[in-house]
Amino acid sequence: MSRIAVIGAGLAGLTVAAELQAAGHAVTLFEKSRGPGGRCATRRSAAGPFDHGAPGFVPSTAAFAAQVQDWQRAGWVAADPSAGTGQVIGVPSMNALAQQLASGLRTGLDLRVETHVAALEPGAPAGWRLRLLDGRLDAGHFDAVAVAVPAEQAAALLAPDASLAEAMRLTRSEPCWTVMVAWSDPWTAPVAAWVATDHASVLARVHRDDARTGRPALAGSASRWVLHATPQWSADHLDMAPADVIATLTTAWAKALGVRLAPPVHAAAHCWRYAQVPDARAEPCGWNESLRLGACGDAWHAAGDAAGSQPGGVERAWLSGRALARQIALSVSLA
Ligand SMILES: Cc1cc2nc3c(=O)[nH]c(=O)nc-3n(C[C@H](O)[C@H](O)[C@H](O)COP(=O)(O)OP(=O)(O)OC[C@H]3O[C@@H](n4cnc5c(N)ncnc54)[C@H](O)[C@@H]3O)c2cc1C
């Protein structure tokens, strides 16, 4: 049985792992944080959970739409008209989709959480060993490696292939400051989801988490809102103190609605340094046949079904993960 290492348990890495396991390969999935999901993230708090990464996605290709229908039948995602036409969200939270994908993988998946891969080293006589951030060399010996992390972080891991590494270095992700805020009174804004329609300089969009499809009612809970700053404002204020980010975004929100907001019962901020890729690469994924080293994630697969269309980040992660898994399955024999 061939052994494949997948680095990163976001939607792209989970997709590679699922496809390769189904094809009979032995997969080890390395994830630096405490659980799978990556930017399909949910933050727990005393006021309830917040989907503070991707708030949802809109399938655009026929292949992804068919996959989403399967997830919908399984109850892992649901349509959420409150967020906009065609929007789909994880149920009961965005991170639940990744949790379901991870647990739905065939038993035997070796998922190593809190394991940060720092570098790839050649194995002997062939293949790969993984150097971890704490300096240890992982015991595994792998026939192929799939790197499924944001482009800027992938560049270092892909150093053994100078052109793949350069492709990732040239790919730019935009940052996003995100504020999670809750009010205990039954405060209702005139909208449940709001997207800036003018050239707003601070806020890009806002959604009300507790009112979304499939969110369980929490007794006595607050109304929970997630505010996203624009990429430009986020880039200009990467080092701002979280308390100042919270104040700036909530003030901009109140101004946009023309209301006075009471002090919130909960407020937190998170800076996504690599939130979204505005210009993904055209190739479905990256693959070096002789090194048996590949890359996938939202930096890849810019092409949709229709000419000129670009699928969203969640969809690109899935499409490119699937493309890389198929490439690896063609190249690496099961024996
Ligand atoms: C605020 C925000 C809003 C968004 N809005 C939308 C939207 O509306 N629609 C949409 O389609 N997309 C949206 N996105 C983008 C979408 O979330 C991503 O494009 C998609 O989730 C990327 O998946 P991925 O698997 O490629 O990467 P990720 O989800 O980033 O997964 C990579 C994983 O790799 C792990 N990792 C990184 N380095 C290492 C290492 N060295 N060793 C081990 N593990 C490592 C990370 O911890 C992470 O879990 C949004 C993202 C953010 C942050």
Side-chain angles (χ1 to χ4, degrees):
M1 188 185 266
S2 62
R3 292 148 303 175
I4 317 287
V6 180
I7 304 172
L11 205 71
L14 288 165
T15 304
V16 181
E19 293 258 340
L20 289 174
Q21 270 218 332
H25 299 273
V27 181
T28 305
L29 183 49
F30 294 87
E31 169 54 49
K32 71 176 180 183
S33 60
R34 276 180 295 170
R39 282 169 277 169
C40 290
T42 303
R43 170 85 62 93
R44 312 279 153 204
S45 82
F50 292 88
D51 289 332
H52 69 307
F57 50 88
V58 181
S60 73
T61 62
F64 190 55
Q67 174 64 84
V68 170
Q69 271 183 6
D70 283 350
W71 291 341
Q72 212 159 343
R73 277 190 285 273
W76 300 354
V77 300
D80 183 34
S82 76
T85 313
Q87 281 279 348
V88 174
I89 61 175
V91 176
S93 66
M94 279 304 287
N95 187 250
L97 171 61
Q99 300 283 351
Q100 293 284 12
L101 288 170
S103 66
L105 290 172
R106 207 175 66 190
T107 47
L109 172 78
D110 189 4
L111 171 58
R112 311 264 184 90
V113 293
E114 298 187 84
T115 309
H116 192 146
V117 179
L120 308 186
E121 297 187 5
W128 294 104
R129 306 285 307 271
L130 304 191
R131 179 70 62 185
L132 306 181
L133 196 64
D134 60 13
R136 281 182 302 122
L137 195 58
D138 183 78
H141 187 111
F142 301 99
D143 301 301
V145 176
V147 175
V149 309
E152 288 82 349
Q153 297 167 332
L157 292 171
L158 293 165
D161 178 329
S163 79
L164 264 184
E166 182 65 2
M168 292 294 88
R169 246 190 304 277
L170 293 174
T171 305
R172 189 176 52 88
S173 304
E174 292 177 333
C176 181
W177 262 113
T178 303
V179 163
M180 296 151 267
V181 64
W183 285 272
S184 62
D185 55 357
W187 177 70
T188 49
V191 287
W194 176 90
V195 177
T197 48
D198 55 8
H199 297 289
S201 57
V202 180
L203 268 185
R205 58 182 170 170
V206 177
H207 69 265
R208 181 174 178 171
D209 243 3
D210 58 300
R212 306 211 296 162
T213 306
R215 272 41 185 164
L218 300 174
S221 76
S223 66
R224 301 189 302 279
W225 298 82
V226 179
L227 287 59
H228 290 172
T230 61
Q232 189 60 57
W233 189 90
S234 301
D236 291 344
H237 298 84
L238 283 179
D239 298 323
M240 196 182 225
D244 294 336
V245 174
I246 292 165
T248 308
L249 266 62
T250 49
T251 302
W253 175 227
K255 200 170 157 200
L257 294 176
V259 297
R260 277 176 74 86
L261 295 175
V265 292
H266 172 88
H270 179 85
C271 184
W272 295 96
R273 295 244 163 190
Y274 312 117
Q276 300 211 59
V277 179
D279 299 305
R281 295 186 65 80
E283 304 93 320
C285 61
W287 177 243
N288 182 318
E289 176 71 30
S290 57
L291 291 178
R292 293 185 169 182
L293 173 62
C296 63
D298 63 344
W300 300 89
H301 215 303
D305 288 347
S309 72
Q310 174 165 303
V314 170
E315 182 164 9
R316 293 198 306 279
W318 181 84
L319 287 166
S320 72
R322 190 181 67 146
L324 180 57
R326 291 179 177 180
Q327 187 63 66
I328 293 174
L330 281 178
S331 306
V332 180
S333 70
L334 282 172

